[in-house]
């Protein structure tokens, strides 16, 4: 069963760059049929979709964060990463990585759902 | 962006009860609707995808229905592990958006 694990600093200073890595184990990031996604959850709040990457390198970013976000993939390490620049206290959240399955349930129609999640990592932005 | 609105925001129920949670989209999303369960301190867990398809390993007391703008998640007979927060998510168009969550508490 594929497992995901987030890693990175738990504390980032305002205006700096938040960098997180998600390591994929017991499965290959290049197996196809999946996007590899980042989602965050502000303290006590709901879920916000940040963006995804395909193993080929194609990406999607939420327009609300697009100017500050970069998601990259390292297939040799079976990892994908998130960078968020110019952080503020509003970026304090639990960050999750997830596997986003691309499922053609009906010919020509693709469904997307996050079937495997990492445990999440808390990132606090504070000086 | 498509807005997803869940109701109620919180709900008290007892073990054995049948409960229904509603999710409404601000525009038609066909059946591009997923449901997740989250317990405190844990990552969300996929329950239902494509509005009504049960994820492998999820108990059959969970079911989903709906199409267009209105969807429901039903738990047939509440078990102690079911007390959690539930989120709907639309994947009809980007950015994929979630409902605000429904917290299911023990009465």
């Amino acid at each position: 069963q594929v497992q995901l694990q987030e890693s990175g600093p738990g504390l980032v200073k305002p205006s700096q760059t938040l960098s997180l890595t998600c390591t994929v184990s017991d499965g290959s990031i290049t197996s196809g049929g999946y996007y590899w996604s980042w989602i965050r959850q502000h303290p006590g709040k709901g879920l916000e979709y940040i963006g995804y990457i395909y193993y080929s390198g194609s990406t999607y970013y939420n327009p609300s964060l697009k100017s500050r976000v970069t998601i990259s993939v390292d297939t040799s390490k079976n990892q994908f990463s998130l960078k968020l620049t110019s952080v503020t206290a509003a970026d304090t959240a639990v960050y999750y990585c997830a596997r986003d399955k691309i499922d053609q349930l009906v010919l020509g129609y693709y469904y997307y759902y996050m079937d495997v999640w990492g445990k999440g990592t808390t990132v606090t932005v504070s000086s | 962006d498509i807005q997803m609105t869940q109701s109620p925001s919180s709900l008290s129920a007892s073990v054995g009860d049948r409960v229904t949670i509603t999710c409404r989209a601000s525009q038609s999303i066909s059946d591009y609707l997923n449901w997740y369960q989250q317990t405190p301190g844990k990552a969300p867990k996929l329950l239902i995808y494509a509005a009504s398809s049960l994820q492998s390993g999820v108990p059959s007391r969970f079911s989903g229905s709906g199409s267009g703008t209105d969807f429901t998640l039903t738990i047939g007979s509440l078990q102690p592990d079911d007390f959690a927060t539930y989120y709907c998510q639309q994947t009809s168009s980007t950015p994929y958006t979630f409902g605000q969550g429904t917290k299911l508490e023990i009465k």
Side-chain angles (χ1 to χ4, degrees), chain A residues 29-30 36 53-59 71-82:
Chain A
I29 204 167
T30 62
W36 302 93
I53 191 164
Y54 195 62
Y55 76 89
S56 62
S58 60
T59 55
I71 299 175
S72 59
V73 65
D74 187 335
T75 55
S76 67
K77 294 182 178 179
N78 225 28
Q79 295 175 335
F80 62 107
S81 298
L82 169 71

Side-chain angles (χ1 to χ4, degrees), chain A residues 17-80:
Chain A
T17 296
L18 178 161
S19 297
L20 297 175
T21 296
C22 183
T23 300
V24 181
S25 57
D26 299 322
S28 174
I29 204 167
T30 62
S31 58
Y34 303 100
Y35 291 130
W36 302 93
S37 298
W38 288 98
I39 305 94
R40 70 180 182 179
Q41 186 169 34
H42 294 104
K45 301 294 185 183
L47 300 159
E48 179 180 25
Y49 197 89
I50 298 171
Y52 64 68
I53 191 164
Y54 195 62
Y55 76 89
S56 62
S58 60
T59 55
Y60 166 80
Y61 303 135
N62 189 322
S64 67
L65 296 167
K66 188 174 183 178
S67 63
R68 299 193 292 131
V69 169
T70 302
I71 299 175
S72 59
V73 65
D74 187 335
T75 55
S76 67
K77 294 182 178 179
N78 225 28
Q79 295 175 335
F80 62 107

Side-chain angles (χ1 to χ4, degrees), chain A residues 41 60 96 110-112 114 118, chain B residues 31-32 34 36 38 43 87 95:
Chain A
Q41 186 169 34
Y60 166 80
Y96 295 100
Y110 293 89
Y111 292 77
Y112 308 93
M114 290 176 282
Chain B
D31 58 352
Y32 293 93
N34 306 320
Y36 299 88
Q38 186 179 35
Y87 293 95

